[in-house]
C-alpha cells in the first residue's frame, strides 16, 4: 500500500514534499521543475527529500524523477479524506499539505516544506470552507515550513483556528505572519525563532510534551505588496464562474500568475524552494 524509497528509509533527516503544487499550483509544464528544485535544495542542505504522491494503487514516499513527471498530466487533488479512495481506484493522486501530512503520520516523517498552507477561506461566515491542512496539522507530529497561509484566505481566522487546535505558529526571524506574497502584514505569530536549531529544539520539546504539528513561517525574500486587489478580483471571478471547493485555490493562483505578469509565479517558485531548504536545515538540526 505504501512504498518508501530506500534512501528515505536509510536517512534520519527527511523532508516530505507535496505533489498538489506540482500538479495544480503552476502553469502546465512548470510544476515538475518546481518540485525538482525543492528536492535539490533539500539535498544541498544535507537532507533527503521524500516527495509523496499516489501512482498505480500505491502511496509512494520518495518519487523518482520519471514518477514525478507523471504529475504534470491529469492528477486528482488528494487531501486526507481522498487517500484511500484514490489508492483503491488506481488514480494518479497529487497530495495536498494535509494529504501529505497524513502519509507522514503513517511513516513517521517529522519535517515538511511547502509554499503556503490552506486554511479558513474568506466568506466562511456564509460558506464554511476550511482546508483539511489544519485538521491534519493538529493530528500529526510533523513540523511544516511555509510562507504563512495563502493570502487568498482569511488569514486572521486561519491563525485563530490553529491556536484552537494547539498548533504553534513560529515566525522564522519574524514576529508577524508572512502573507505568502508579502513579507509582513499578517497577524502576530505565537512565538519567534532565530535559527533552524532553535526551531528543532522547540519541535522536539513540543513532541515530548505530547503536542502534534507545528508551523514555521518563513517570509519570502522579496515582498510583493500590491497583490491584494488582484486577489479580490480573482475571488470575484471564481464566484462568478461558480468555482468551488478544491478548485478555488488552483483557480486563484493561475489568475494571479496571469494578471501579475508572472510576478506571483516567480515569487511562488522561489518561496517554495526556500521553504524546502529551511525544512531541510531544521531536519538536519533535529537529527
Ligand atoms: N500553496 C501553493 N500552491 C499550492 C498549494 C499551496 O503555493 O498549490 C496547495 C497545497 O497543496 C495546499 C492546498 O494543501 O493548496 C490547499 O487547498 P485547499 O484550500 O483546497 O485545501
Ligand atoms: Mn476547501
Amino acid at each position: 500500500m505504501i512504498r518508501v524509497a530506500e534512501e528515505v528509509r536509510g536517512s534520519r533527516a527527511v523532508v516530505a514534499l507535496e505533489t498538489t503544487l506540482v500538479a495544480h499550483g503552476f502553469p502546465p509544464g512548470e510544476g515538475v521543475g518546481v518540485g525538482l528544485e525543492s528536492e535539490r535544495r533539500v539535498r544541498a542542505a544535507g537532507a533527503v527529500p521524500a516527495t509523496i504522491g499516489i501512482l498505480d494503487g500505491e502511496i509512494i514516499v520518495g518519487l523518482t524523477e520519471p514518477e514525478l513527471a507523471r504529475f504534470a498530466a491529469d492528477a486528482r487533488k488528494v487531501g486526507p479524506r481522498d487517500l484511500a479512495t484514490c489508492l483503491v481506484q488506481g488514480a494518479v493522486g497529487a497530495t495536498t499539505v494535509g494529504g501529505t501530512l497524513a502519509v507522514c503520520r503513517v511513516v513517521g516523517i517529522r519535517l515538511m516544506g511547502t509554499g503556503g498552507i490552506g486554511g479558513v477561506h474568506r466568506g466562511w461566515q456564509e460558506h464554511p470552507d476550511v482546508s483539511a491542512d489544519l485538521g491534519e496539522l493538529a493530528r500529526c507530529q510533523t513540523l511544516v515550513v511555509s510562507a504563512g497561509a495563502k493570502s487568498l484566505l482569511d488569514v486572521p481566522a486561519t491563525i485563530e483556528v490553529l491556536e484552537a487546535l494547539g498548533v504553534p505558529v513560529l515566525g522564522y526571524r519574524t514576529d508577524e505572519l508572512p502573507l505568502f506574497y508579502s513579507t509582513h502584514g499578517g497577524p502576530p505569530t505565537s512565538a519567534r525563532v532565530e535559527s533552524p536549531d532553535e526551531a528543532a529544539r522547540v519541535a522536539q520539546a513540543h513532541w515530548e510534551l505530547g503536542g502534534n504539528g507545528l508551523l514555521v513561517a518563513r517570509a519570502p525574500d522579496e515582498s510583493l505588496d500590491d497583490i491584494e486587489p488582484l486577489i479580490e478580483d480573482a475571488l470575484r471571478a471564481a464566484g462568478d464562474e461558480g468555482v468551488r471547493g478544491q478548485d478555488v485555490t488552483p483557480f486563484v493562483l493561475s489568475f494571479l500568475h496571469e494578471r501579475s505578469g508572472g510576478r506571483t509565479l516567480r515569487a511562488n517558485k522561489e518561496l517554495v524552494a526556500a521553504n524546502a531548504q529551511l525544512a531541510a536545515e531544521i531536519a538536519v538540526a533535529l537529527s
Side-chain angles (χ1 to χ4, degrees):
M1 190 154 78
I2 303 187
R3 192 190 85 205
V4 183
E6 210 169 293
E7 194 191 13
V8 172
R9 265 186 278 135
S11 173
R12 287 168 47 80
V14 174
V15 175
L17 300 168
E18 56 155 312
T19 35
T20 287
L21 70 83
V22 171
H24 304 293
F26 294 94
E30 297 192 42
V32 174
V34 176
L36 290 174
E37 177 59 17
S38 294
E39 292 192 354
R40 269 192 292 276
R41 299 280 283 269
V42 168
R43 285 186 201 285
V48 171
T51 304
I52 294 177
I54 301 176
L55 289 175
D56 309 319
E58 211 173 27
I59 295 176
I60 300 174
V61 180
L63 291 161
T64 62
E65 196 172 326
E67 285 169 344
L68 186 64
R70 290 178 60 188
F71 290 84
D74 265 353
R76 282 193 201 171
K77 180 171 168 179
V78 174
R81 67 166 191 192
D82 310 304
L83 282 169
T85 322
C86 186
L87 262 179
V88 169
Q89 297 179 345
V92 177
T95 51
T96 63
V97 171
T100 304
L101 286 176
V103 177
C104 288
R105 183 153 46 78
V106 179
V107 299
I109 296 178
R110 298 294 200 153
L111 265 300
M112 171 174 186
T114 188
I117 63 161
V120 180
H121 283 260
R122 297 185 195 182
W124 57 268
Q125 294 87 340
E126 283 79 47
H127 180 75
D129 183 351
V130 178
S131 175
D133 293 358
L134 302 185
E136 205 51 54
L137 264 170
R139 267 192 291 276
C140 77
Q141 291 193 320
T142 300
L143 181 157
V144 178
V145 178
S146 79
K150 280 173 302 185
S151 40
L152 60 108
L153 301 169
D154 183 334
V155 177
T158 301
I159 291 305
E160 291 296 342
V161 172
L162 285 170
E163 179 176 359
L165 294 173
V167 176
V169 178
L170 308 177
Y172 184 71
R173 298 178 182 160
T174 177
D175 299 309
E176 270 177 310
L177 191 77
L179 289 176
F180 198 61
Y181 298 120
S182 63
T183 53
H184 56 274
T189 56
S190 64
R192 170 187 176 122
V193 291
E194 300 296 339
S195 66
D197 185 60
E198 192 182 8
R201 282 186 292 127
V202 172
Q204 188 62 51
H206 185 63
W207 294 329
E208 279 172 24
L209 293 166
N212 288 324
L214 304 90
L215 187 68
V216 167
R218 179 196 179 281
D221 293 314
E222 196 196 337
S223 194
L224 304 182
D225 295 330
D226 55 353
I227 304 300
E228 177 57 27
L230 282 182
I231 292 174
E232 284 165 21
D233 289 349
L235 291 172
R236 207 170 307 118
D240 291 348
E241 293 179 31
V243 177
R244 280 195 185 269
Q246 286 192 318
D247 298 329
V248 172
T249 299
F251 177 92
V252 170
L253 291 175
S254 82
F255 185 102
L256 295 178
H257 294 336
E258 240 167 72
R259 297 294 177 91
S260 69
R263 285 189 304 137
T264 60
L265 179 58
R266 197 165 6 95
N268 203 339
K269 284 181 179 172
E270 285 175 6
L271 65 84
V272 167
N275 293 343
Q277 178 177 331
L278 178 56
E281 290 166 1
I282 299 171
V284 169
L286 201 61
S287 70

